[in-house]
Amino acid sequence: MTTLEDARALLATGPLCNSCLGRPFADRSFGLTNAERGRALRTTIALADDTDYEPDDPETCWVCEGYCGTFDAIADTIVDALGDVHFETYQVGTQVSPLVEENDRLLREDAGLDPEIGESLKREMNREVGRRVGAKSGAEVDFDRPDVLAVIDLDGFDSFEALESNSVTSHAVDVQINPAFVYGRYRKLERDIPQTEWPCRECGGSGVQLGDDGEEACDYCDGSGYMYDTSVEQVVRPHVVDAMDGDEGTFHGAGREDVDARMLEEGRPFVLEVKRPRERTPDVATLESEINEAAEGAVEVEGLRLASYDMVERIKEHDASKHYRADVEFGDSVEEDEFEAALEELRGTTVEQDTPQRVDHRRAALTRERTVYDAEGELREPTQAEVRIHGEGGLYIKELISSDEGRTVPSLAGLLETDAVVTALDVTGVEGESEPFEVEAYFRDEPRSDA
């Protein structure tokens, strides 16, 4: 059959709007909408048969039942729902009622056509409404990770009422705002500050406990609900969430240092994820200054940039090596040559570490192999030294020094045959093994000129 014969067969099934007439021919004449295809076919048939032209009337269409006439109204509702939200990319999805989907299939079957020919109403709805949303908002469509996603529920509104009022209730549109991400590095300049919130284990973070006279302030945390007064997360998160006008935030760090360790020099990479942000492009330089001023020297952030969703996975999965500086105290006096020989022995070696006793309550009991890339130090006194280690990610430094009662082999304590304990620990570098964390493909903004 020819195209016109197919079109005549489709029109013979009952009244059709131009979109439903043109949709079975969606794979023909690239650059036309289905409504334009339908109008062209209807016009050509009227001319060929010398009959009166019957105009498009979505309200009488037995297939879409008027929904193809609501593209503009739906787009207006989506744009209105996103009125206070800044977004640069979007995607539109549609939930089509089973009855209309069945009509779309029966149209082709009744006309003797392949049920899968052309495209579905759902796909047309997504495209036509999406095209209008883009034109009204100036945003671009993104099928992978859009800033916002609008899902249309055709069962959520009456198509005939929408055609009459030229409006669609907001209840028929579910607007989802995807998270936004800010990348940076933090320095922790004081000890006894955890990376993330640490709720009190006695009261579960509530700050209260049951006493003889009912609820009272938790003795363990003095009613604060936290084991520590603050954390890097608590310093950073409120400012970023506020700047992006979001609902809440989640802190993701590239590993973490011990609570009693400082994080110095270039700092540790992190990403702050903001849920339901209404502003996606805050001034990161100003934000950085606000955070550092509020932290009052306890924590500093640097190099804030707007990042993509993929940066979270990179922060969590990218292999990184770490640099450490440790103050060490020995149980017995150590000679200079013995100290240098022990460091030489550690340099470049692969150590075996059983899960340390201090973390075995929250880590699986495993034996891990980690490489010590470099080991240097100075013996300050016969029983005191400064040790600097560059090691593979996951290397337990305190245990590399102390041996953890023989659970780390080799260790500085084992090689010197004396007790050794870290009295102060600083992390002085976190860097990617194969490439830096800061690769441009993971950012949504341009490099900062003030960085």
Side-chain angles (χ1 to χ4, degrees):
M1 294 178 66
T2 66
T3 299
L4 285 183
E5 289 173 334
D6 288 340
R8 287 190 176 95
L10 289 167
L11 288 170
T13 65
L16 295 177
C17 67
N18 284 341
S19 289
C20 289
L21 174 59
R23 196 160 49 252
F25 307 99
D27 56 353
R28 304 188 187 186
S29 297
F30 178 78
L32 295 175
T33 66
N34 289 330
E36 290 170 339
R37 292 184 180 93
R39 178 178 175 79
L41 289 168
R42 196 187 301 271
T43 302
T44 301
I45 290 173
L47 290 171
D49 296 349
D50 193 17
T51 58
D52 292 340
Y53 176 81
E54 295 183 4
D56 167 48
D57 186 0
E59 187 172 354
T60 64
C61 179
W62 74 270
V63 177
C64 72
E65 299 184 345
Y67 283 109
C68 287
T70 64
F71 296 153
D72 286 305
I74 296 173
D76 287 339
T77 298
I78 292 174
V79 173
D80 288 345
L82 292 168
D84 65 341
V85 178
H86 170 252
F87 62 101
E88 297 177 350
T89 59
Y90 71 94
Q91 184 180 355
V92 172
T94 307
Q95 295 176 350
V96 179
S97 69
L99 176 61
V100 173
E101 284 188 330
E102 178 71 3
N103 289 348
D104 209 22
R105 183 183 64 82
L106 288 175
L107 169 65
R108 292 158 173 78
E109 290 185 354
D110 290 351
L113 303 179
D114 182 346
E116 302 299 324
I117 196 172
E119 69 176 355
S120 65
L121 175 60
K122 175 185 291 189
R123 185 172 178 180
E124 180 178 20
M125 182 73 68
N126 293 345
R127 183 185 63 257
E128 292 302 320
V129 174
R131 184 165 60 85
R132 289 162 170 79
V133 169
K136 294 174 184 291
S137 66
E140 296 183 358
V141 67
D142 182 347
F143 297 111
D144 295 325
R145 187 74 187 180
D147 293 341
V148 297
L149 169 64
V151 179
I152 309 159
D153 182 5
L154 295 189
D155 277 339
F157 68 99
D158 186 288
S159 60
F160 302 118
E161 291 181 0
L163 288 171
E164 183 176 350
S165 65
N166 196 32
S167 65
V168 170
T169 174
S170 60
H171 298 300
V173 176
D174 178 23
V175 173
Q176 302 170 22
I177 305 174
N178 282 328
F181 307 88
V182 172
Y183 170 88
R185 285 178 176 258
Y186 74 82
R187 286 185 288 273
K188 196 174 72 178
L189 305 177
E190 295 180 3
R191 304 192 190 280
D192 296 323
I193 299 177
Q195 183 188 88
T196 55
E197 288 183 341
W198 196 324
C200 174
R201 57 175 173 265
E202 295 298 317
C203 66
S206 67
V208 298
Q209 60 185 9
L210 289 176
D212 295 336
D213 299 323
E215 289 188 349
E216 57 186 32
C218 175
D219 292 335
Y220 203 77
C221 65
D222 293 328
S224 70
Y226 295 99
M227 296 291 290
Y228 296 88
D229 292 338
T230 189
S231 65
V232 177
E233 177 181 22
Q234 287 165 281
V235 168
V236 174
R237 183 185 60 207
H239 295 278
V240 179
V241 172
D242 183 62
M244 290 187 143
D245 195 13
D247 289 349
E248 57 182 311
T250 302
F251 191 95
H252 306 281
R256 62 178 65 206
E257 64 284 337
D258 291 340
V259 172
D260 60 354
R262 295 183 299 181
M263 180 68 243
L264 305 177
E265 299 194 15
E266 293 185 357
R268 184 183 295 275
F270 72 90
V271 170
L272 201 292
E273 176 181 354
V274 179
K275 308 293 179 61
R276 290 188 60 81
R278 283 162 283 278
E279 170 57 57
R280 307 187 81 91
T281 58
D283 185 325
V284 288
T286 300
L287 178 58
E288 186 175 298
S289 297
E290 291 175 352
I291 293 171
N292 291 338
E293 182 178 351
E296 297 180 335
V299 174
E300 290 179 350
V301 297
E302 183 177 78
L304 296 189
R305 292 188 62 181
L306 305 178
S308 69
Y309 167 80
D310 294 327
M311 184 58 91
V312 174
E313 182 178 359
R314 185 168 181 81
I315 283 289
K316 292 178 175 294
E317 304 294 337
H318 191 50
D319 290 335
S321 66
K322 317 288 173 60
H323 295 262
Y324 300 87
R325 190 209 66 83
D327 291 335
V328 179
E329 188 170 311
F330 301 114
D332 301 305
S333 296
V334 173
E335 297 293 334
E336 183 75 35
D337 58 346
E338 295 174 333
F339 179 67
E340 292 295 339
L343 293 178
E344 177 64 30
E345 185 72 18
L346 289 177
R347 199 172 295 133
T349 193
T350 298
V351 301
E352 292 187 354
Q353 294 189 305
D354 293 342
T355 301
Q357 297 178 72
R358 63 187 172 93
V359 298
D360 62 5
H361 62 286
R362 65 177 188 269
R363 298 285 176 86
L366 298 172
T367 299
R368 300 170 175 83
E369 290 188 348
R370 295 292 187 269
T371 301
V372 180
Y373 297 137
D374 197 10
E376 298 180 343
E378 286 84 37
L379 190 64
R380 294 171 172 171
E381 296 181 14
T383 59
Q384 294 182 2
E386 176 184 298
V387 175
R388 295 181 297 278
I389 301 292
H390 179 202
E392 183 180 359
L395 177 67
Y396 290 106
I397 296 302
K398 291 179 178 178
E399 286 68 29
L400 179 69
I401 302 296
S402 71
S403 88
D404 194 25
E405 298 182 1
R407 297 165 71 87
T408 291
V409 179
S411 67
L412 185 60
L415 293 170
L416 293 174
E417 297 182 350
T418 186
D419 291 340
V421 61
V422 174
T423 58
L425 180 66
D426 296 328
V427 185
T428 58
V430 178
E431 58 190 35
E433 289 272 15
S434 58
E435 63 181 12
F437 281 90
E438 298 86 351
V439 172
E440 286 303 311
Y442 294 90
F443 294 110
R444 297 189 62 169
D445 58 5
E446 296 298 322
R448 286 171 51 184
S449 60
D450 64 327

